Amino acid sequence: MTRWWRRGAARDGQEAGARPPRPRHEPGSEQDGGQGGGEGGGQGGDGNRGRDGGRDSGGHISFSEVTDDGEHEIFRVDISREQAAAMRARSAIDRLGPEHPEALTAMRALARVLVSTPGRGGDAVELYQEVARTQWTVLGDRHEETLRTSAELAAALHANGDLRLAEAAWRDTFRARAETLGRDHPDTLACAAGLAAVLDDLDRAAEAEPLLRDVLERRVRLLGPDHPDVLTSANAHAGALILCGRHEEAERALRALVPRLEDRYGRDHERTTAARSNLGAVLCRLDRYPEAEQQLQAVVRSLDATVGPHHETTFTARNNLAAVLHGMGRYQEAVPLLRAVLDGRVILNGDDHPTTVATRDNLANVLIDVGRHAEAAELFERCVREYHRVYGPGHPRLRAAEEQLAWLREGPGDD
């Protein structure tokens, strides 16, 4: 198995058991299309991309006085989810040692909280890597707890934008779970979906689509056509069809899926809005811009009212809407929309996260059409550096950004 989980330890030269990072005061996925392309695919997947995995609640510390009349609380101090999880992890380590299963479980729970905290994705990855390394040594690489940590680490790597490491982690975990649990086991199918989501983000939808189709078919056979996991898989597969250029097929699938989701969950549920957003993306790809705009405007309103304007899913829908406006030649409307998405993604995911870089690419393309060539060139320079880091040399996104940058350097200045 690839030692993707050792990256943090190798870099830091650490050999001790896992240690939770110190908490900070609070506060503290999908595919970007190219010029006019929009984002589609992967929305409403198996929960491997978002920053909503941590469900631990916060708490409080009470200070009490014991008198003859009993115990009386003097005052209490509220603590955040991160602080509460860190305290539980440190307590388990101090009591049981860093290699004890309960301590490892507590540290994994802290990592889960960190994944959902903006700006703490790197800390989450390092903590997961430490836990995985310890479990590999103590429990073995095929133990259930080791594989559970491996899957969560793979998802954290993906959410943090470490796409190539995430692919390696998902492949190894998928292979191990298939061998130990069988291809039809729910955990194995979740790993397959996680791997496919990373392949989508690596622009390798041709590899992701058959994997997602297999997951969908197995879930239909095992669970029936109306199970929530089946509906999620249907949307993820439709998203992969979009990225493969099979737009008519994707539209048919989404036209059939959206009413089923609306009947089951309601029009504004996150599963429904994910499929509606994908439908808007495929309508954009089909150059049916008025329909796409109507669809995506409604999706944005739904998301603003439910998950809020600063959620990754909302950013995706706004990016898709900007792609529609771009396709319709309404550049002056698309530019501020993309600027807002870029600013939001910098805050949520970081300045060099793949989704942030792709948004910067989209903005640069629209700036070309409004004559802001100097600013577009500056953005493309950053995209070239980051695409080279994320995807490596020769990747289609890198080549496209390099070509745009070369054209801008040789072409006219700002109008």
Side-chain angles (χ1 to χ4, degrees):
M1 182 179 288
T2 306
R3 300 302 178 92
W4 32 265
W5 44 265
R6 293 198 62 159
R7 185 186 66 151
R11 184 187 65 203
D12 298 332
Q14 297 169 350
E15 294 298 334
R19 290 289 189 275
R22 292 188 177 278
R24 301 175 186 169
H25 295 294
E26 291 195 24
S29 26
E30 48 319 92
Q31 186 77 17
D32 283 52
Q35 184 172 353
E39 298 178 0
Q43 290 194 54
D46 286 61
N48 299 314
R49 294 205 213 187
R51 293 187 179 273
D52 56 355
R55 299 182 183 278
D56 304 79
S57 61
H60 63 269
I61 300 175
S62 296
F63 293 84
S64 301
E65 178 184 41
V66 179
T67 67
D68 292 341
D69 297 329
E71 183 175 352
H72 307 279
E73 182 178 273
I74 302 173
F75 65 93
R76 65 173 59 189
V77 178
D78 292 331
I79 58 176
S80 68
R81 293 168 53 242
E82 180 185 337
Q83 290 169 327
M87 290 174 64
R88 287 192 290 268
R90 288 200 188 91
S91 174
I93 292 171
D94 291 343
R95 288 185 296 105
L96 305 169
E99 296 184 352
H100 192 280
E102 288 185 26
L104 294 171
T105 298
M107 287 185 281
R108 190 171 61 202
L110 172 58
R112 207 173 291 137
V113 173
L114 294 175
V115 165
S116 67
T117 304
R120 302 305 302 274
D123 293 331
V125 165
E126 290 187 9
L127 185 54
Y128 270 129
Q129 287 171 327
E130 294 284 0
V131 174
R133 182 180 64 160
T134 303
Q135 289 178 329
W136 177 294
T137 303
V138 176
L139 302 175
D141 64 313
R142 299 303 173 95
H143 191 277
E144 177 184 355
E145 288 301 305
T146 306
L147 293 176
R148 181 174 289 114
T149 300
S150 298
E152 292 188 21
L153 169 56
L157 286 165
H158 190 182
N160 202 46
D162 300 319
L163 301 183
R164 287 185 283 183
L165 283 176
E167 180 191 357
W170 275 126
R171 283 195 185 279
D172 288 343
T173 310
F174 174 42
R175 185 183 303 112
R177 276 185 163 168
E179 292 173 359
T180 57
L181 301 174
R183 283 296 301 273
D184 287 341
H185 192 279
D187 290 345
T188 307
L189 296 177
C191 284
L195 173 58
V198 176
L199 293 173
D200 274 348
D201 279 356
L202 286 167
D203 285 345
R204 290 156 58 188
E207 298 175 57
E209 186 276 325
L211 194 57
L212 288 169
R213 184 176 65 247
D214 181 70
V215 171
L216 175 59
E217 291 171 351
R218 290 176 186 272
R219 282 176 168 170
V220 168
R221 175 170 52 81
L222 294 167
L223 304 172
D226 297 321
H227 191 276
D229 289 349
V230 172
L231 300 177
T232 293
S233 290
N235 186 45
H237 181 244
L241 291 174
I242 297 173
L243 298 176
C244 286
R246 294 158 62 178
H247 300 145
E248 292 81 4
E249 188 177 350
E251 184 192 3
R252 288 194 298 272
L254 289 164
R255 292 286 188 192
L257 177 63
V258 168
R260 295 169 63 195
L261 290 168
E262 289 178 340
D263 289 344
R264 184 180 184 95
Y265 299 110
R267 184 171 176 78
D268 295 328
H269 190 274
E270 59 184 344
R271 292 176 187 259
T272 310
T273 52
R276 290 166 57 205
S277 186
N278 274 348
L279 179 57
V282 76
L283 291 171
C284 177
R285 301 290 182 92
L286 289 166
D287 296 335
R288 288 157 58 185
Y289 296 120
E291 292 178 74
E293 181 185 10
Q294 182 180 15
Q295 183 74 227
L296 290 168
Q297 290 280 17
V299 168
V300 168
R301 288 194 296 271
S302 293
L303 292 171
D304 280 343
T306 52
V307 298
H310 305 298
H311 193 277
E312 177 58 36
T313 307
T314 312
F315 292 145
T316 297
R318 291 187 187 279
N319 182 90
N320 287 347
L321 178 58
V324 172
L325 298 172
H326 188 196
M328 299 173 76
R330 292 158 59 183
Y331 309 133
Q332 299 296 341
E333 297 175 62
V335 167
L337 192 55
L338 282 172
R339 287 195 194 280
V341 173
L342 177 59
D343 291 343
R345 280 179 162 164
V346 167
I347 295 171
L348 183 64
N349 298 318
D351 195 60
D352 59 354
H353 191 280
T355 58
T356 306
V357 180
T359 307
R360 189 174 291 120
D361 188 333
N362 287 347
L363 175 58
N365 276 295
V366 181
L367 288 171
I368 289 175
D369 288 325
V370 297
R372 302 287 297 276
H373 295 157
E375 185 181 358
E378 181 182 345
L379 294 179
F380 274 126
E381 286 177 355
R382 298 183 64 182
C383 290
V384 166
R385 291 195 300 270
E386 294 302 330
Y387 282 154
H388 194 279
R389 177 186 61 81
V390 173
Y391 300 113
H395 191 274
R397 288 183 185 235
L398 174 59
R399 290 199 304 269
E402 288 173 333
E403 290 171 2
Q404 290 284 57
L405 180 58
W407 177 82
L408 286 166
R409 285 172 173 169
E410 295 173 1
D414 288 358
D415 294 343

